[in-house]
Amino acid sequence: MANTPHGGVLKDLYIRDADKQPALIAEASTLPSLLLTDRQLCDLELILNGGFSPLEGFLNQKDYEGVVAEMRLASGILWPMPITLDVNQENIDASKIQPNARIALLDPRDYQPLAILTVQDVYRPDKSKEAVGVYGADDQAHPAVNYLHNIAGDFYVGGSLEAIQAPAHYDYVASRYTPSELRAHFKKLQWTRVVAFQTRNPMHRAHRELTVRAARARKAHLLIQPVVGLTKPGDIDHYTRVRVYKALMPKYPNGMAELSLLPLAMRMGGPREAVWHALIRKNHGVTHFIVGRDHAGPGKNSQGVDFYGPYDAQALVEQYKAEIGIEIVPFQMVAYCVDSDEYMPADEVPEGVKTLNISGTELRRRLRTGLPIPEWFSYPEVVKVLRQSHPPRAQQGFTVFLTGLHASGKNALARALQVSLNQEGSRTVSLLMSENVRAELSSELGFSKRDRDLNISRQAFVAGELTRAGAAAIVAPIAPYDEARKNARKTIEKSGGFYLVHVATPLADCEKRDHDGVYERARKGEIKDFTGIDDPYEVPSDAELTVNLSEQSISQAVHEIVLLLEKDGYVGSA
Ligand SMILES: Nc1ncnc2c1ncn2[C@@H]1O[C@H](COP(=O)(O)OS(=O)(=O)O)[C@@H](OP(=O)(O)O)[C@H]1O
């Protein structure tokens, strides 16, 4: 028998409202609408499918205050996390949000109506109080507190929901289960004791060992239920992680474990989050839940101290275990014992026995540099997936951004660099020359500050996309303004390497080298706003390299760029 849902009844609003669906769709098209944020979309999905039972909507003020202050809804039932629909005054005005109004909630990706909200109240939360009450501190080093103060709207809208349809998914659809589906699946498999494992990280041998130990200790089957909604900023993307989980699943004995993806928006709320996770699993029919060291921990606060103690989460779930109604399986980290070639709970390792571990940072370093990842740590199948999405630098893209005056020699340098990189053959080299860019991408632009900024941001966008796809992009605009170059760096660095090279050939020499007489015409006033003459060139202070083609040859400048790239591992193999 699957576990009883929190509050006694699974609030699967899709099933409850199935008969009304055609009428709700028709009504939604006549109602004011609200486009959900990514986080609200995740929350909505779990309200509608019953993952957040007993909730049937977004918290009204009374429920919200009870949850913040004492983890309880107004009914008295345990609920640790405020599930709120945050909006701004503009949303309130545009969608006419007021008590009793009916609002269609739309999927931000395709504008499909997902639910109709009947508004109960609109209230202004005390965000600092929420931060302290829920996350333990009003400190923006905490990702959820940062979200609260800098992204969430100023008002919350409480109200009940009627379900129209589930948000569409196009990735790993077969591995996503609603609580009702998972309960039916357990029934089909005849699973009655199920221990769930929550994760937002790739899984390796240690995780396989500890989950099997948990299953063995409780004579239960295993549900690997990773979060594929929003996790901690900087985490490995869920596409990679799901490929990892799929590579790992065959390592369990046949019939022991199942994989189910959870579209949860995590808050990294440590102890409260552990209680929340346990209740969500209970709603999915699970009977046992693993809570480990530093469960859903957000890391360090602004004073450099951990927000939560390593076992705070275990203590809070223990405190509320009777109400949570799911058996918590606390686990110790398992450690690899070298001599016996086995994993063991860290607290059971006999004194003097040598153990090994590879930290997340070390793993990332090995992926980046292509260094081996030993089989005692992970499975070759898992490592292969990780290497595919974290190729070593030698296979990653980068942009070399040459900036300098007209006739500084940057165009010749750009062409020579392209030829030199072509010798490598490891990646496509794309050259964005100003003459081509201004003919193709920026043909309507002139040389005002606004136009130049736009010209640079377009090139940064293209170079960023090329970089992301693993190419080497070389751009060679004048790019006279510091802010535009800095913005370009920001755009491109999201995708890979970025090298700003200042071609600092002095103006007098540029004028001498200018065979087209452009400077002469600018000096005579025939060309206006010409960089270096009557428009400024802001010398970069953040260039990775400065070259002066009056004093050094193109080939020397190319070599210096290649040396930079080699140092970071983008060219040559380590
Ligand atoms: N007013 C003015 N100021 C600067 N440059 C001018 C101007 N008008 C035309 N040109 C010619 O356009 C080329 C520079 O274009 P860019 O796209 O590199 O300029 S910018 O980065 O947007 O500032 C540059 O040529 P190259 O240096 O050969 O690319 C200039 O000759």
Side-chain angles (χ1 to χ4, degrees):
M1 260 274 290
N3 205 349
T4 309
H6 192 46
V9 181
L10 186 70
K11 298 292 172 80
D12 186 324
L13 308 191
Y14 299 124
I15 294 176
R16 186 197 67 186
D17 299 336
D19 291 348
K20 295 192 282 185
Q21 199 215 33
L24 291 171
I25 293 176
E27 185 190 353
S29 66
T30 68
L31 294 176
S33 61
L34 184 70
L35 217 51
L36 297 167
T37 64
D38 288 348
R39 182 199 274 190
Q40 292 165 354
L41 185 67
C42 289
D43 286 353
L44 183 87
E45 182 166 5
L46 284 162
I47 299 173
L48 296 182
N49 73 17
F52 286 170
S53 296
L55 303 192
E56 293 180 72
F58 289 98
L59 297 190
N60 61 29
Q61 187 167 9
K62 214 164 159 218
D63 283 331
Y64 166 77
E65 285 171 356
V67 167
V68 171
E70 46 177 5
M71 300 212 306
R72 290 194 187 281
L73 298 168
S75 62
I77 196 164
L78 184 72
W79 190 263
M81 200 54 75
I83 307 299
T84 51
L85 184 66
D86 59 290
V87 295
N88 282 320
Q89 187 64 50
E90 300 88 78
N91 303 122
I92 294 176
D93 297 340
S95 305
K96 301 185 187 67
I97 301 176
Q98 57 191 8
N100 300 320
R102 281 171 70 77
I103 313 285
L105 302 184
L106 308 187
D107 189 321
R109 301 162 304 167
D110 57 10
Y111 290 74
Q112 285 298 307
L114 303 177
I116 293 179
L117 173 79
T118 303
V119 178
Q120 287 171 0
D121 54 5
V122 182
Y123 53 102
R124 187 191 273 276
D126 179 339
K127 292 189 175 180
S128 294
K129 196 169 170 188
E130 178 177 335
V132 173
V134 179
Y135 305 110
D138 192 11
D139 182 338
Q140 295 194 24
H142 193 300
V145 176
N146 183 38
Y147 187 96
L148 191 58
H149 286 297
N150 299 314
I151 300 177
D154 296 334
F155 300 92
Y156 291 168
V157 185
S160 57
L161 292 167
E162 286 159 282
I164 296 179
Q165 59 185 322
H169 290 293
Y170 304 99
D171 55 337
Y172 309 117
V173 181
S175 300
R176 296 171 181 268
Y177 292 85
T178 67
S180 301
E181 288 166 349
L182 204 49
R183 285 165 175 274
H185 196 57
F186 291 158
K187 191 167 176 197
K188 177 174 174 175
L189 298 172
Q190 300 183 31
W191 285 14
T192 51
R193 295 169 67 82
V194 184
V195 52
F197 180 66
Q198 135 85 31
T199 183
R200 43 170 261 271
N201 287 311
M203 290 174 70
H204 303 288
R205 239 173 232 275
H207 303 98
R208 189 253 181 221
E209 294 307 318
L210 78 87
T211 49
V212 169
R213 275 177 184 271
R216 202 185 298 142
R218 299 301 193 278
K219 296 195 174 9
H221 287 93
L222 257 178
L223 181 73
I224 307 300
Q225 199 176 36
V227 171
V228 294
L230 305 177
T231 62
K232 192 175 166 189
D235 279 351
I236 291 187
D237 67 276
H238 82 269
Y239 302 106
T240 303
R241 288 190 290 109
V242 177
R243 290 198 296 274
V244 162
Y245 307 135
K246 285 180 180 280
L248 178 99
M249 291 311 286
K251 304 296 173 190
Y252 290 103
N254 246 330
M256 174 188 270
E258 289 281 319
L259 175 69
S260 157
L261 308 179
L262 187 69
L264 177 70
M266 288 182 71
R267 274 45 166 189
M268 308 312 299
R272 277 197 182 219
E273 181 122 357
V275 174
W276 187 38
H277 286 179
L279 296 177
I280 294 166
R281 271 40 185 234
K282 174 182 170 187
N283 286 332
H284 283 79
V286 164
T287 52
H288 297 69
F289 183 56
I290 299 175
V291 177
R293 194 182 180 280
D294 195 26
H295 189 100
K300 300 205 181 302
N301 66 18
S302 52
Q303 310 304 310
V305 179
D306 283 334
F307 273 98
Y308 312 118
Y311 298 106
D312 287 2
Q314 287 183 355
L316 196 71
V317 290
E318 173 64 24
Q319 188 184 332
Y320 287 96
K321 68 178 179 194
E323 286 179 81
I324 293 173
I326 182 169
E327 190 181 327
I328 301 298
V329 185
F331 81 79
Q332 279 275 338
M333 255 336 273
V334 292
Y336 176 69
C337 305
V338 183
D339 293 338
S340 54
D341 185 26
E342 64 179 340
Y343 279 88
M344 229 183 240
D347 60 340
E348 287 175 26
V349 177
E351 198 149 322
V353 167
K354 190 177 168 208
T355 63
L356 286 178
N357 189 25
I358 290 183
S359 68
T361 314
E362 173 62 13
L363 177 65
R364 281 191 290 279
R365 191 181 77 86
R366 288 179 187 230
L367 287 170
R368 198 173 55 238
T369 54
L371 281 173
I373 295 167
E375 282 201 31
W376 64 260
F377 175 74
S378 199
Y379 300 97
E381 295 88 336
V382 166
V383 172
K384 189 172 161 208
V385 170
L386 290 174
R387 287 207 192 280
Q388 270 165 358
S389 49
H390 297 79
R393 282 270 169 84
Q395 286 160 32
Q396 289 175 24
F398 62 85
T399 292
V400 177
F401 189 114
L402 304 175
T403 170
L405 296 172
H406 167 64
S408 57
K410 66 180 163 50
N411 292 358
L413 176 57
R415 288 196 193 92
L417 180 63
Q418 182 190 32
V419 169
S420 177
L421 292 176
N422 273 340
Q423 298 178 106
E424 282 263 326
S426 54
R427 40 169 103 62
T428 310
V429 186
S430 286
L431 185 57
L432 298 179
M433 299 294 284
S434 283
E435 60 201 64
N436 301 328
V437 170
R438 286 213 166 252
E440 303 291 344
L441 261 187
S442 297
S443 57
E444 87 289 15
L445 299 182
F447 290 87
S448 65
K449 169 139 189 343
R450 179 194 161 274
D451 282 10
R452 288 183 201 251
D453 286 352
L454 204 50
N455 179 36
I456 299 307
S457 79
R458 287 177 189 174
Q459 290 181 63
F461 171 74
V462 174
E465 289 301 303
L466 288 166
T467 298
R468 196 155 64 84
I474 304 169
V475 291
I478 293 180
Y481 302 125
D482 193 50
E483 194 186 355
R485 291 189 303 252
K486 289 210 162 77
N487 287 337
R489 178 190 289 276
K490 254 190 237 153
T491 304
I492 295 165
E493 273 182 350
K494 282 186 206 136
S495 309
F498 178 86
Y499 296 86
L500 184 68
V501 178
H502 178 203
V503 184
T505 312
L507 176 62
D509 293 346
C510 295
E511 292 198 50
K512 275 189 226 146
R513 301 158 69 109
D514 177 24
H515 303 298
D516 308 333
V518 182
Y519 279 111
E520 209 177 309
R521 280 193 281 138
R523 290 240 179 245
K524 283 188 197 150
E526 289 170 20
I527 308 177
K528 297 273 178 249
D529 303 326
F530 199 85
T531 307
I533 306 298
D534 56 350
D535 208 66
Y537 179 85
E538 297 171 3
V539 173
S541 57
D542 57 346
E544 273 71 19
L545 180 69
T546 300
V547 295
N548 175 350
L549 296 178
S550 293
E551 291 174 358
Q552 57 196 123
S553 65
I554 296 274
S555 126
Q556 177 63 21
V558 167
H559 185 56
E560 288 186 20
I561 296 171
V562 169
L563 284 173
L564 263 184
L565 295 169
E566 196 282 337
K567 182 167 137 277
D568 291 345
Y570 284 104
V571 295
S573 50

